[in-house]
């Protein structure tokens, strides 16, 4: 059978070679086509990201930062008025924000501003400040996301451009290992809980063979993966600190706590204001009764 197959191959070697050549050419063309499309899409994305960041999101973000730092309501309303004079959706291309959620929050803030101008009461003012605060928070997130995307390799090249090529290669490998084991560690963590819930959770089978052994193996591999991850993270932070240009977990935690603190402070001020208003109303009612 083997000899017959070999004879068949020898007789059709030209056809087989032509077929392989055709398949290789088609695969190469497909890969080149997909790569070319991806390259064009990336170029278009970076061009739009830079334009959006420099021309619209960055100035909007820093003006919003100034508004957030104003405590006096009268001055804050004046700053909001000027803000919407500059960024009027009827005059500028809000679509260049490039984020549908961000556009909706901007339009909600703009609508709340005009509702306040119509009613001019405490409820509409409180709603306006809430919408402005929510829009400012989303605008900050979008600003830093675009910044990280455009300048993600800036610090890396700045710190490694004059480095010996062997050390630079070693750091590239270290960064690759960190990224790989970051994903592996999370997948092992999820796998552990999936096995644990299946084996010991509510509605699980009465007996699961070797569940303890499997969990021990997963934990062992997880610990090794975690150690490798922290070792590479330590190396990368030591040599190229802040090379990724990304906010850390502590930055987001601090921002979240600050947001909650500001929200709590606003609620406390509103309660004090309501108590003072109720007290004035009671005193006024008492004085009216005494005069009667």
């Amino acid at each position: 059978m083997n000899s017959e197959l070999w004879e068949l191959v020898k007789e059709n070697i030209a056809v087989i070679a032509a077929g392989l050549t055709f398949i290789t050419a088609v695969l190469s063309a497909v890969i080149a086509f997909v790569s070319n499309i991806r390259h064009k899409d990336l170029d278009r994305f970076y061009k739009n990201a830079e334009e959006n960041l420099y021309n619209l999101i960055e100035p909007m973000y820093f003006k919003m930062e100034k508004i957030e730092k104003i405590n006096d309501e009268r001055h804050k309303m004046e700053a909001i008025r000027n803000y919407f004079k500059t960024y009027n959706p009827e005059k500028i291309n809000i679509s260049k924000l490039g984020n549908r959620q961000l556009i909706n929050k901007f339009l909600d803030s703009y609508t709340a501003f005009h509702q306040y101008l119509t009613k001019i009461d405490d409820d509409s003012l409180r709603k306006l400040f809430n919408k402005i605060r929510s829009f400012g928070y989303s605008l900050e997130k979008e600003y830093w996301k675009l910044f990280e995307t455009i300048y993600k390799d800036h610090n890396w090249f700045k710190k490694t451009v004059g480095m010996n090529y062997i050390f630079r290669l070693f750091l590239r490998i270290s960064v690759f290992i960190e990224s790989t084991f970051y994903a592996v560690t999370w997948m092992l963590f999820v796998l552990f809980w999936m096995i644990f819930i299946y084996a010991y959770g509510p509605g699980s089978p009465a007996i699961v063979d070797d569940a303890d052994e499997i969990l021990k193996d997963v934990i062992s591999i997880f610990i090794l993966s975690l150690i490798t991850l922290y070792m590479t993270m330590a190396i990368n932070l030591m040599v190229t600190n802040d090379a990724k240009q990304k906010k850390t977990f502590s930055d987001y935690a601090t921002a979240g706590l600050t947001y909650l603190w500001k929200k709590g402070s606003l609620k406390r001020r509103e309660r004090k204001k309501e108590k003072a208003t109720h007290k004035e109303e009671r005193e006024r009612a008492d004085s009216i009764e005494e005069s009667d």
Side-chain angles (χ1 to χ4, degrees):
M1 185 66 184
N2 291 336
S3 60
E4 292 177 0
L5 181 60
W6 176 243
E7 289 297 327
L8 182 63
V9 170
K10 286 197 297 182
E11 290 175 2
N12 297 279
I13 189 69
V15 177
I16 294 172
L20 290 173
T21 303
F22 176 76
I23 292 171
T24 304
V26 170
L27 286 175
S28 300
V30 169
I31 293 171
F33 178 72
V34 172
S35 178
N36 186 44
I37 290 177
R38 177 175 170 78
H39 183 71
K40 288 182 178 179
D41 288 343
L42 283 173
D43 285 345
R44 184 168 61 251
F45 166 74
Y46 282 116
K47 182 180 178 181
N48 290 336
E50 289 181 359
E51 183 179 354
N52 295 353
L53 179 66
Y54 300 150
N55 297 335
L56 189 60
I57 291 178
E58 186 169 67
M60 287 183 79
Y61 167 60
F62 285 110
K63 283 185 174 66
M64 184 59 69
E65 277 282 286
K66 291 181 179 179
I67 292 175
E68 285 293 319
K69 292 176 181 177
I70 299 174
N71 294 321
D72 182 71
E73 288 186 358
R74 187 173 64 83
H75 289 94
K76 193 165 191 171
M77 274 306 307
E78 187 63 29
I80 291 173
R81 191 189 304 272
N82 292 332
Y83 189 86
F84 285 120
K85 280 183 181 178
T86 303
Y87 301 109
N88 188 326
E90 297 176 1
K91 297 179 181 179
I92 63 173
N93 295 324
I94 296 301
S95 60
K96 288 188 176 295
L97 288 171
N99 184 320
R100 186 168 184 169
Q101 184 182 21
L102 192 61
I103 292 171
N104 287 335
K105 288 195 174 185
F106 171 79
L107 294 176
D108 288 344
S109 303
Y110 187 73
T111 302
F113 170 68
H114 282 282
Q115 287 177 348
Y116 171 75
L117 294 180
T118 303
K119 298 179 180 179
I120 311 182
D121 56 11
D122 290 340
D123 289 338
S124 58
L125 181 64
R126 185 162 50 249
K127 182 180 178 182
L128 171 60
F129 285 168
N130 287 336
K131 293 293 184 182
I132 287 290
R133 194 177 302 108
S134 177
F135 172 62
Y137 180 71
S138 298
L139 190 62
E140 181 184 12
K141 284 174 59 179
E142 188 71 14
Y143 172 79
W144 287 114
K145 281 182 181 178
L146 287 177
F147 177 84
E148 291 163 9
T149 300
I150 295 170
Y151 292 100
K152 63 181 180 179
D153 291 325
H154 181 78
N155 280 355
W156 169 268
F157 288 114
K158 184 173 66 177
K159 293 182 179 181
T160 61
V161 68
M163 190 180 291
N164 182 279
Y165 74 95
I166 295 177
F167 294 148
R168 191 161 59 243
L169 175 62
F170 172 76
L171 284 174
R172 276 293 185 188
I173 295 171
S174 180
V175 170
F176 173 78
I177 293 173
E178 179 189 341
S179 300
T180 302
F181 276 89
Y182 179 83
V184 169
T185 303
W186 272 108
M187 287 189 289
L188 288 170
F189 179 77
V190 173
L191 178 63
F192 170 83
W193 283 109
M194 288 175 63
I195 296 172
F196 182 84
I197 293 170
Y198 175 75
Y200 302 106
S204 61
I207 298 175
V208 180
D209 294 335
D210 300 328
D212 292 340
E213 293 298 325
I214 294 172
L215 288 175
K216 287 179 182 177
D217 292 339
V218 172
I219 292 172
S220 300
I221 299 172
F222 173 80
I223 292 172
L224 289 173
S225 176
L226 196 63
I227 292 171
T228 307
L229 174 63
Y230 279 124
M231 286 176 61
T232 52
M233 284 177 64
I235 294 171
N236 297 334
L237 285 173
M238 180 176 60
V239 180
T240 55
N241 185 30
D242 195 31
K244 295 179 181 179
Q245 296 275 40
K246 288 188 176 183
K247 283 192 170 185
T248 63
F249 174 78
S250 60
D251 293 327
Y252 285 112
T254 303
L257 290 173
T258 303
Y259 173 75
L260 292 174
W261 174 259
K262 287 181 178 178
K263 194 170 184 180
S265 300
L266 180 62
K267 289 288 184 183
R268 287 192 293 272
R269 286 199 299 271
E270 289 174 355
R271 289 196 199 100
K272 289 180 180 179
K273 190 175 180 180
E274 288 176 0
K275 287 180 180 179
T277 303
H278 291 321
K279 186 177 179 181
E280 289 177 2
E281 290 175 353
R282 284 196 301 270
E283 291 175 351
R284 193 180 300 113
D286 292 339
S287 63
I288 292 172
E289 289 179 358
E290 289 175 0
S291 61
D292 292 341

